[in-house]
Amino acid sequence: KQEVTQIPAALSVPEGENLVLNCSFTDSAIYNLQWFRQDPGKGLTSLLLIQSSQREQTSGRLNASLDKSSGRSTLYIAASQPGDSATYLCAPLNDYKLSFGAGTTVTVRA
Amino acid sequence: ETGVTQTPRHLVMGMTNKKSLKCEQHLGHNAMYWYKQSAKKPLELMFVYSLEERVENNSVPSRFSPECPNSSHLFLHLHTLQPEDSALYLCASSRERGMNTEAFFGQGTRLTVV
């Protein structure tokens, strides 16, 4: 069974600082990995999809890296803004299922 | 707006009630999913439908009954629920089940069982 751990559980930074969110997973036989954002009480918004054959994927201020063999992914958010405040979830896909960690809750202070 | 719409957004029901949650997608996807998100816990996969056929049931109690009448619609029928079933229920869809496709989620239904 895939186990997903996200560190840190919570993060509070001043506006403008770069964010580094870590995700580790126990089963490296994944097809891909998605990063999502969740605002309080809302659904999930897909941020990035990184295929198992890729090492990196970028979208605007977001960059995700994947080291499949060591079971790790990192989400970088450059020049954080108060609007980036949310919970960020990583979800590796294997055995046709997405598995989720508990997420990292980010607060960006103005 | 992700293209996956869930109704209602909020639902309060008694333990003896029967209600249904609805999910609709117009993305042309062939796979649809129900997830449960309880407070302080990771998302749990409940059911998976692929081409309108249920392909996964993750040991979900029978008081939750899914229905997929076509590839665009997914329902979750609820009856005789317990207070511990209170949670955010999320629907998702993807082009195909698994492999290298991206999953899109709805906004969820916040269910409270009293």
Side-chain angles (χ1 to χ4, degrees):
Chain A
K1 180 181 176 241
Q2 179 74 280
E3 300 287 342
V4 182
T5 303
Q6 291 189 243
I7 294 172
L11 191 57
S12 178
V13 299
E15 184 176 3
E17 203 164 289
N18 297 332
L19 294 167
V20 180
L21 309 180
N22 297 298
C23 169
S24 61
F25 46 94
T26 55
D27 185 348
S28 62
I30 64 171
Y31 297 123
N32 63 41
L33 185 144
Q34 269 186 267
W35 280 94
F36 294 92
R37 168 190 172 133
Q38 185 175 31
D39 292 295
K42 301 290 181 63
L44 277 62
T45 301
S46 180
L47 297 173
L48 287 168
L49 170 73
I50 183 164
Q51 307 286 3
S52 61
S53 58
Q54 294 179 303
R55 300 281 292 183
E56 205 171 308
Q57 185 69 264
T58 299
S59 176
R61 293 185 294 112
L62 306 180
N63 174 278
S65 67
L66 175 65
D67 184 343
K68 189 178 135 177
S69 60
S70 66
R72 293 180 185 178
S73 179
T74 302
L75 179 67
Y76 302 90
I77 304 177
S80 61
Q81 303 168 358
D84 294 328
S85 298
T87 296
Y88 292 83
L89 300 164
C90 78
L93 176 72
N94 57 339
D95 195 24
Y96 302 108
K97 297 179 207 179
L98 283 173
S99 298
F100 287 86
T104 294
T105 299
V106 171
T107 302
V108 181
R109 308 185 302 270
Chain B
E1 181 59 50
T2 66
V4 181
T5 303
Q6 291 187 241
T7 54
R9 293 294 310 279
H10 302 273
L11 178 63
V12 179
M13 60 185 288
M15 288 189 283
T16 58
N17 291 160
K18 289 185 181 181
K19 296 286 185 183
S20 296
L21 309 184
K22 179 182 176 183
C23 177
E24 187 172 355
Q25 58 91 7
H26 296 289
L27 301 170
H29 289 171
N30 291 320
M32 296 187 77
Y33 313 80
W34 279 116
Y35 284 84
K36 176 183 178 182
Q37 188 177 34
S38 304
K40 309 294 184 187
K41 292 176 68 175
L43 273 79
E44 302 169 62
L45 179 64
M46 299 175 73
F47 300 104
V48 180
Y49 276 82
S50 177
L51 296 171
E52 300 147 46
E53 178 185 343
R54 190 193 313 181
V55 294
E56 188 121 6
N57 174 347
N58 273 354
S59 304
V60 179
S62 59
R63 57 186 184 270
F64 295 91
S65 175
E67 179 190 3
C68 188
N70 55 61
S71 60
S72 297
H73 294 86
L74 184 65
F75 294 89
L76 188 62
H77 304 299
L78 316 171
H79 64 98
T80 59
L81 295 191
Q82 305 298 312
E84 60 264 28
D85 296 321
S86 299
L88 182 67
Y89 288 85
L90 292 161
C91 172
S93 72
S94 62
R95 184 164 46 84
E96 304 293 343
R97 174 178 165 238
M99 300 309 288
N100 290 320
T101 62
E102 189 173 3
F104 294 88
F105 281 76
Q107 288 296 300
T109 295
R110 170 66 64 185
L111 173 68
T112 303
V113 181
V114 297

